[in-house]
Amino acid sequence: MNHEHDYQQDGVRRLRADLALALRAAAHFGLSEGVCNHFSVELPDGSGRFLLNPRGLMWQEVQADDIVMVDVQGQALAGRHAVESTAMHIHAGIHRVARHAVVLHTHMPYATALTLTRARALDTTLSQNAMRFHGRVAIDPVYNGLALDAREGERIARGMGSGDIAFLANHGVIVCGTQIAHAFDDLYYLERACMAQVLAQSSGIGLAPASADMAAHVAEQTRGERLQSDLFFEALRRRL
């Protein structure tokens, strides 16, 4: 298998460009944290290889040629930069065990704030933005330190079950998807939903959730509106 050759193929180049755009967009919206946290997308050829942002670059500066190709063991295969060990363990575990094509991991402020509460996660019956995630959220209730080995990434992946949104206790969140545009759209609206909840809670006024049935209905409606995700990503492409 010629990794350098595959890295330069048109389909992989497009994935690298989209992943770099998602990183720059996340920085634009204040969802990044220094040079930490990572986004990844699996190559669609069934090889188990995936693309990942490199170690040491601010998200707003990442371009397609900065993206690194790695395997499910976390070994760098192609690209000009090194990769960070916790990124390899978390992302490799989720790609390998949970079988998600796109994995976005952030410590974005409002979502992370909710992981510090006893509830550990967003209430998906509150705002309309929150309802899009109803039935999709998994909670990892145990903070287990930095992910410095493969076992921690696999533990997180197994804990996700059928969910594609994971709140990691005292840590941050993971958003997964089948396409970069769809996963990024979810990431953006997850933080907006968490922000609305934190602001509402800070008012000291009792919260007024909708019914679980209504939240499930809105979640289903949102799944049928993925054109909005594509249009949002195209708008970001024009701007960033």
Side-chain angles (χ1 to χ4, degrees):
M1 190 176 292
N2 189 330
H3 303 303
E4 288 290 347
H5 174 269
D6 294 345
Y7 182 78
Q8 298 297 342
Q9 292 304 294
D10 288 345
V12 175
R13 290 177 68 88
R14 285 192 294 272
L15 282 177
R16 288 196 279 123
D18 283 352
L19 193 63
L21 172 60
L23 289 156
R24 295 195 305 274
H28 174 76
F29 290 117
L31 310 182
S32 62
E33 184 170 70
V35 297
C36 298
N37 301 168
H38 298 83
F39 289 2
S40 64
V41 57
E42 192 169 17
L43 269 61
D45 60 5
S47 65
R49 297 173 295 177
F50 60 94
L51 302 172
L52 182 75
N53 55 300
R55 184 173 194 169
L57 293 187
M58 302 289 285
W59 286 11
Q60 58 263 40
E61 65 181 320
V62 175
Q63 301 295 325
D65 288 343
D66 296 312
I67 299 298
V68 182
M69 180 191 293
V70 299
D71 63 19
V72 290
Q73 282 73 48
Q75 300 299 312
L77 304 173
R80 63 190 185 186
H81 297 290
V83 291
E84 197 257 326
S85 58
T86 61
M88 292 187 292
H89 295 313
I90 291 174
H91 289 255
I94 295 173
H95 285 298
R96 182 173 63 251
V97 175
R99 303 304 306 159
H100 289 295
V102 180
V103 181
L104 312 181
H105 172 48
T106 78
H107 298 167
M108 53 193 189
Y110 288 98
T112 301
L114 292 182
T115 74
L116 312 182
T117 67
R118 291 179 180 176
R120 295 297 195 192
L122 176 72
D123 184 338
T124 59
T125 65
L126 284 173
S127 67
Q128 178 174 281
N129 284 342
M131 293 179 200
R132 72 186 285 155
F133 304 108
H134 192 74
R136 299 172 56 190
V137 171
I139 299 173
D140 179 1
V142 178
Y143 178 64
N144 206 34
L146 299 182
L148 296 179
D149 59 53
R151 290 172 299 177
E152 181 62 8
E154 291 171 357
R155 185 192 70 80
I156 292 171
R158 287 192 296 271
M160 292 184 69
S162 61
D164 58 3
I165 309 291
F167 282 77
L168 312 179
N170 309 102
H171 183 177
V173 293
I174 294 171
V175 174
C176 301
T178 58
Q179 300 177 40
I180 294 172
H182 296 180
F184 182 81
D185 194 46
D186 280 344
L187 186 78
Y188 173 84
Y189 281 103
L190 182 67
E191 180 69 347
R192 298 288 291 185
C194 292
M195 180 176 69
Q197 180 172 328
V198 170
L199 291 174
Q201 289 173 325
S202 69
S203 73
I205 302 171
L207 303 183
S211 69
D213 286 345
M214 178 55 68
H217 175 61
V218 172
E220 182 63 31
Q221 288 179 315
T222 304
R223 281 192 289 273
E225 286 291 324
R226 277 306 191 181
L227 177 59
Q228 287 294 98
S229 303
D230 296 328
L231 293 173
F232 183 33
F233 206 67
E234 287 304 313
L236 293 172
R237 198 188 308 279
R238 293 192 299 271
R239 181 170 181 177
L240 300 176

